Amino acid sequence: MKRRNFIKNTAAGGMALTGLASVAGVTAAETVSSAPVSFKLNYAPHLGMFKNSAGDDPIDQIKFMADQGFTAFEDNGMMGREPAMQTKMGETLARLNMTMGVFVVAKGGNLANPFAAGKKEYLDIFLDGCKRAVDVAKRVNAKWMTVVPGSFERRLPTGIQDANVIDALRRGAEILEPHGLVMVLEPLSDSPDLYLQTSDQTYMICKAVNSPSCKILYDIYHMQKNEGNVITNMERTWDEIAYIQIGDNPGRKEPTTGEINYKNVFKFIHEKGYTGVMGMEHGISKQGIEGEKRLIEAYKEVDSFEV
């Protein structure tokens, strides 16, 4: 099957597989991958991350992830998929004992429909997205969904903007809380116009909303860019962190490609007793199957911290 077309990583192994493939009448690219890794944390790839190894079909890609030892999965664009595909993906994840990570609540984009403006039309778009997200979450067995409050409303004082954002999020939490769902707020580094940018600001907002359905998505890549001091700031805001995402800096590629000491960061997260999802929201530094092999090796390396 395409999801198993992963070449082993030693020269001798490659030669042996080529010989076997010739006898069987298949190419080396169609051979079975090595045994899955037993990772210490629940790393979650996304669709497209292993398309060269598994093919274009979403289900085959999820199966391939499981074959490599990954125990979770995330899909930002899940709300845009057909309900039949959502259901099929949810059933596949359940069968493979994989945890569904975040998808993004549809509200029109990261900068669009800003909660800080306090406008009813923007609030209505967000609340409609929350209502539709409940149905999607049921299909895919999801618990967490990403929310970005939008841009600053620079004509308003900061305190008024904060109050508007808190009010909007309380309204969203009222929709999600009866279903045991959690919106995770993500501070981002993509634009200086974004309202939510630091972990302490997000912590304050979550405390003010005061709901189990409103927590922090701590994206290590974005927070390294915006504020640094990753382990200390995670410690300070830990009781509101419900979801973590990964990406090295600079470049937003896999761990080991940038300046972040991910082995130490992951050791800290493991020692905190975190059992949630670690979303792999980053690109890959090399193209093709070789890049996908390197991705797996990078996660083996940074997951090798002592416990």
Side-chain angles (χ1 to χ4, degrees):
M1 292 185 290
K2 283 188 177 180
R3 68 186 172 91
R4 295 181 177 273
N5 62 358
F6 206 69
I7 306 172
K8 289 188 177 179
N9 198 30
T10 65
M15 291 173 63
L17 286 169
T18 301
L20 289 171
S22 298
V23 172
V26 297
T27 66
E30 295 173 319
T31 53
V32 178
S33 68
S34 57
V37 182
S38 181
F39 290 115
K40 299 181 184 73
L41 295 168
N42 295 317
Y43 307 114
H46 55 77
L47 292 182
M49 198 161 250
F50 294 109
K51 65 180 180 181
N52 294 288
S53 299
D56 293 328
D57 182 75
I59 303 303
D60 284 345
Q61 290 186 39
I62 292 171
K63 291 176 180 177
F64 183 86
M65 295 168 193
D67 284 348
Q68 310 317 306
F70 294 106
T71 53
F73 166 77
E74 66 177 22
D75 182 22
N76 282 348
M78 183 65 83
M79 284 193 71
R81 302 190 187 282
E82 292 295 325
M85 176 55 73
Q86 294 169 356
T87 299
K88 189 173 183 181
M89 292 171 74
E91 290 172 347
T92 300
L93 292 168
R95 186 168 64 251
L96 296 171
N97 198 30
M98 295 177 73
T99 301
M100 178 65 204
V102 290
F103 61 86
V104 176
V105 173
K107 59 167 280 294
N110 287 345
L111 287 164
N113 302 310
F115 302 170
K119 294 183 178 180
K120 183 179 184 301
E121 58 265 37
Y122 298 159
L123 177 62
D124 288 345
I125 290 170
F126 168 57
L127 298 181
D128 176 68
C130 289
K131 291 172 184 176
R132 292 187 288 117
V134 171
D135 293 331
V136 175
K138 290 177 181 178
R139 295 187 194 108
V140 299
N141 303 310
K143 180 176 181 178
W144 308 276
M145 53 216 64
T146 305
V147 169
V148 177
S151 64
F152 283 109
E153 183 61 44
R154 298 191 184 276
R155 294 171 296 179
L156 293 176
T158 300
I160 301 300
Q161 294 184 67
D162 291 343
N164 289 339
V165 171
I166 291 164
D167 181 66
L169 293 171
R170 283 176 176 169
R171 296 282 302 278
E174 290 173 357
I175 294 170
L176 301 176
E177 197 169 326
H179 304 279
L181 303 177
V182 182
M183 57 180 165
V184 285
L185 309 183
E186 184 176 15
L188 299 172
S189 63
D190 299 327
S191 168
D193 290 324
L194 285 158
Y195 166 83
L196 204 58
Q197 299 196 23
T198 64
S199 60
D200 66 302
Q201 176 197 18
T202 315
Y203 185 81
M204 178 274 291
I205 295 294
C206 287
K207 288 296 185 185
V209 175
N210 192 29
S211 168
S213 289
C214 183
K215 297 295 179 180
I216 297 172
L217 190 170
Y218 193 101
D219 187 308
I220 298 169
Y221 162 76
H222 287 298
M223 292 301 89
Q224 171 70 2
K225 289 181 66 181
N226 281 358
E227 63 187 22
N229 210 16
V230 168
I231 290 176
T232 297
N233 285 328
M234 291 186 80
E235 178 72 67
R236 288 169 173 165
T237 60
W238 187 258
D239 63 305
E240 293 292 337
I241 294 174
Y243 200 94
I244 297 168
Q245 286 183 326
I246 303 158
D248 216 337
N249 182 57
R252 201 175 187 178
K253 300 297 192 292
E254 71 270 17
T256 74
T257 58
E259 66 188 3
I260 303 174
N261 188 335
Y262 263 107
K263 185 179 289 188
N264 279 355
V265 174
F266 288 168
K267 179 179 175 64
F268 162 78
I269 291 168
H270 185 271
E271 288 177 346
K272 293 295 289 185
Y274 181 78
T275 59
V277 174
M278 304 281 290
M280 296 161 58
E281 197 182 40
H282 56 72
I284 303 177
S285 60
K286 295 184 181 296
Q287 296 183 351
I289 287 178
E290 286 303 313
E292 293 168 9
K293 288 167 60 178
R294 190 197 185 287
L295 172 67
I296 295 172
E297 291 304 314
Y299 273 89
K300 288 180 184 179
E301 179 178 341
V302 295
D303 189 74
S304 65
F305 55 85
E306 295 183 1
V307 295

